[in-house]
């Protein structure tokens, strides 16, 4: 008898990917290898993996890639101040390429011919998975069961019952949630009407403004070469530092976003995010760049940051432009050294102070007091030349009118 071909399934333990194990066998004849990749979202991988085996996966693995995620992906996002449409810190979008990398590696190790993922046909994530797989392993087939089977949630539950698939009965699931260490995305339910205010109970990482402490909290973050290296004077691996800031910011109600976002597939969607550490770190990093980047570098970098965020969002992590932009960011981060003091209070985040041994801020140039060393006479000549084109134009214009 011919051995069944193998498929590696990006498995989360939820309803969709639990049903997919059986469905892939039934419809394609595949033996399914379930792979759950955790990026620090706090999921119970052991339980999910055991359940995958009971549901018929021939192999099932849980991979904890949180540290790799922080070191190889989030460090770059920090240097790039990566915010899609100036707001969303891209937690989900940054995580997908790393999940793809692990799926593709598992496919090679298990000699699988295909990869499956549980994305729908409406979102960005299908693009990130498909394009990522096509770039890293062009020979792998891609199957997206949820895009194909067109079952409603109720039909999936019936399918599970008919096929003795063990599912974790989560109460009437209202929202679609994706969480990792960089943040959490919440969609669906009553959020689909942009007029509705999010219910307080959807938040997992942040306290409400009402329940946040009356007194502010401060965090002093030290940066070296554009990356955070210490918190309140204590050197910390970036992973631990992100965890600590999620806690401090979250406790003070900092890190919530509620936005209408333009998806790659053309639709606008209402998204609620929590990203306490991400927003704190990007705010702090920018504050230090304000002090240390030469003016034209700073201005040009803003444009590059926007492009970078779009590439990440649009599933082009494995692209020459993304790599080239990272090289540009690296080259301008050498002097981004120093400290930023952040203040968290009742849902607000503020930069309370910044300092750098390589600061380009010169007190003698900026001050209005006696220490002033700015050449005031040079200003007059500078203005004469700077304004020359306009003063000449105005003269001419006057003659003509
Ligand atoms: N809109 C965000 C993005 O495209 C989040 C997607 C979250 N996915 C989910 N299954 N809830 O990156």
């Amino acid at each position: 008898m011919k051995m069944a071909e193998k498929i590696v399934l990006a498995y989360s333990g939820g309803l969709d990917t639990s049903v997919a194990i059986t469905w892939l066998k039934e419809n394609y004849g595949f033996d399914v290898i379930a792979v759950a990749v955790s990026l620090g979202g706090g999921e119970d991988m052991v339980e999910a993996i055991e359940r995958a085996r009971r549901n018929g996966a021939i192999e099932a693995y849980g991979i904890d890639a949180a540290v790799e995620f922080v070191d190889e992906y989030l460090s770059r996002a920090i240097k790039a101040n990566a915010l899609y449409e100036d707001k969303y810190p891209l937690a989900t979008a940054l995580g997908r390429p790393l999940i793809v990398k692990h799926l593709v590696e598992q496919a090679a190790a298990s000699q699988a011919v295909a990869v499956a993922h549980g994305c729908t046909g409406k979102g960005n994530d299908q693009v990130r998975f498909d394009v990522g797989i096509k770039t890293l392993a062009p020979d792998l087939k891609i199957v997206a069961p949820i895009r194909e089977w067109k079952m409603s949630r109720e039909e999936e539950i019936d399918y599970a019952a008919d096929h003795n698939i063990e599912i974790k009965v989560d109460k009437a699931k209202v929202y679609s949630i994706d969480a990792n260490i960089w943040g959490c995305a919440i969609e669906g339910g009553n959020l689909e009407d942009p007029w509705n205010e999010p219910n307080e109970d959807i938040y997992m990482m942040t306290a409400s403004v009402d329940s946040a402490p009356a007194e502010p909290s401060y965090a002093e973050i030290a940066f070296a070469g554009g990356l955070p290296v210490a918190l309140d004077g204590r050197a910390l691996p970036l992973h631990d530092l992100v965890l600590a800031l999620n806690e401090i910011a979250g406790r003070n109600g900092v890190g919530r976003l509620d936005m209408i976002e333009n998806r790659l597939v053309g639709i606008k969607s209402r998204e609620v995010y929590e990203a306490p550490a991400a927003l704190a770190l990007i705010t702090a990093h920018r504050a230090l760049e304000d002090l240390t980047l030469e003016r034209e570098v700073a201005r040009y970098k803003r444009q590059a940051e926007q492009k970078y965020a779009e590439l990440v969002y649009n599933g082009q992590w494995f692209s020459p432009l993304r790599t080239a932009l990272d090289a540009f960011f690296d080259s301008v981060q050498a002097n981004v050294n120093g400290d930023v003091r952040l203040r968290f209070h009742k849902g607000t985040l503020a930069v309370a102070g910044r300092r750098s041994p390589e600061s380009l801020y010169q007190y003698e140039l900026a001050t209005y007091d006696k220490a002033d060393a700015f050449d005031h006479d040079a200003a007059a000549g500078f203005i004469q030349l700077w304004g020359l084109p306009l003063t000449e134009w105005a003269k001419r214009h006057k003659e003509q009118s």
Side-chain angles (χ1 to χ4, degrees):
M1 198 183 98
K2 195 170 157 280
M3 292 253 293
E5 288 189 314
K6 294 182 196 163
I7 190 165
V8 169
L9 166 68
Y11 170 77
S12 70
L15 174 66
D16 290 338
T17 55
S18 296
V19 167
I21 297 174
T22 307
W23 189 89
L24 285 165
K25 182 80 197 169
E26 189 172 80
N27 290 269
Y28 283 91
F30 281 122
D31 277 347
V32 177
I33 299 165
V35 175
V37 183
S38 166
L39 305 178
E43 49 281 85
D44 182 354
M45 283 219 291
V46 176
E47 189 278 331
I49 288 303
E50 284 167 1
R51 194 152 38 80
R53 293 203 182 98
R54 289 198 296 276
N55 281 335
I58 59 156
E59 298 168 44
Y61 303 101
I63 298 167
D64 183 352
V67 170
E68 184 184 9
F69 184 44
V70 172
D71 290 347
E72 305 297 329
Y73 293 71
L74 302 187
S75 62
R76 295 190 161 106
I78 293 168
K79 288 182 184 176
N81 298 319
L83 297 175
Y84 181 66
E85 296 185 335
D86 293 329
K87 294 192 187 84
Y88 163 46
L90 293 159
T92 299
L94 286 160
R96 296 313 188 196
L98 177 55
I99 295 174
V100 165
K101 179 179 163 259
H102 282 284
L103 297 174
V104 164
E105 281 172 9
Q106 188 59 52
S110 301
Q111 292 173 319
V113 299
V115 172
H117 60 73
C119 302
T120 68
K122 274 179 98 159
N124 301 307
D125 287 328
Q126 55 172 343
V127 183
R128 298 167 187 149
F129 274 103
D130 287 13
V131 174
I133 295 162
K134 284 176 200 283
T135 8
L136 292 187
D139 294 335
L140 286 175
K141 277 182 260 177
I142 301 169
V143 185
I146 290 87
R147 208 161 51 190
E148 283 184 30
W149 70 35
K150 298 185 176 73
M151 286 191 271
S152 66
R153 190 176 154 78
E154 291 68 35
E155 286 163 341
E156 282 184 56
I157 292 171
D158 291 344
Y159 182 98
D162 290 346
H163 293 77
N164 290 319
I165 301 168
E166 187 187 333
I167 51 175
K168 214 169 103 188
V169 269
D170 42 5
K171 314 152 261 159
K173 190 182 156 215
V174 184
Y175 302 100
S176 161
I177 296 176
D178 184 65
N180 65 43
I181 192 172
W182 205 230
C184 158
I186 308 153
E187 301 166 343
N190 76 335
L191 299 174
E192 287 182 349
D193 181 348
W195 182 248
N196 285 340
E197 187 175 1
N199 294 335
E200 190 53 46
D201 65 5
I202 66 173
Y203 297 105
M204 310 188 304
M205 302 175 84
T206 54
S208 69
V209 169
D210 287 343
S211 67
E215 295 301 312
S217 301
Y218 287 84
E220 190 178 303
I221 304 163
F223 285 82
L227 284 182
V229 292
L231 181 62
D232 295 329
R234 202 157 61 94
L236 281 180
L238 189 50
H239 171 270
D240 300 357
L241 201 143
V242 172
L243 280 184
L245 278 174
N246 270 336
E247 197 280 316
I248 300 168
R251 167 160 47 89
N252 286 283
V254 168
R256 295 181 178 184
L257 294 169
D258 177 355
M259 67 188 279
I260 302 294
E261 164 184 307
N262 290 292
R263 285 194 189 165
L264 178 58
V265 293
I267 58 181
K268 287 189 189 290
S269 66
R270 203 287 183 78
E271 308 275 339
V272 172
Y273 296 110
E274 293 178 278
L279 294 176
L281 283 172
I282 290 174
T283 300
H285 181 249
R286 277 194 167 154
L288 195 57
E289 286 190 332
D290 290 345
L291 217 50
T292 54
L293 292 188
E294 185 276 327
R295 182 179 70 182
E296 296 308 309
V297 169
R299 290 182 180 171
Y300 184 77
K301 184 168 181 284
R302 281 291 172 129
Q303 299 172 35
E305 289 174 357
Q306 230 174 56
K307 185 71 201 169
Y308 191 89
E310 283 167 17
L311 284 176
V312 172
Y313 187 85
N314 292 338
Q316 291 173 297
W317 178 266
F318 301 109
S319 70
L321 182 54
R322 198 273 302 164
T323 317
L325 287 176
D326 274 330
F328 165 69
F329 295 138
D330 279 340
S331 84
V332 300
Q333 292 298 297
N335 300 320
V336 183
N337 303 314
D339 306 307
V340 178
R341 198 153 46 93
L342 294 178
R343 177 185 195 266
F344 306 90
H345 188 220
K346 288 271 184 203
T348 67
L349 167 63
V351 175
R354 69 289 267 164
R355 65 181 173 197
S356 168
E358 281 156 285
S359 175
L360 299 173
Y361 176 92
Q362 295 292 350
Y363 172 75
E364 295 75 17
L365 291 179
T367 183
Y368 286 95
D369 75 12
K370 278 206 302 294
D372 185 7
F374 186 79
D375 184 347
H376 290 248
D377 295 336
F382 165 74
I383 294 164
Q384 196 178 347
L385 298 188
W386 168 249
L388 189 60
L390 279 185
T391 49
E392 287 305 307
W393 178 87
K395 269 194 240 165
R396 180 104 191 153
H397 190 70
K398 218 173 251 160
E399 279 163 20
Q400 280 171 356
S401 62

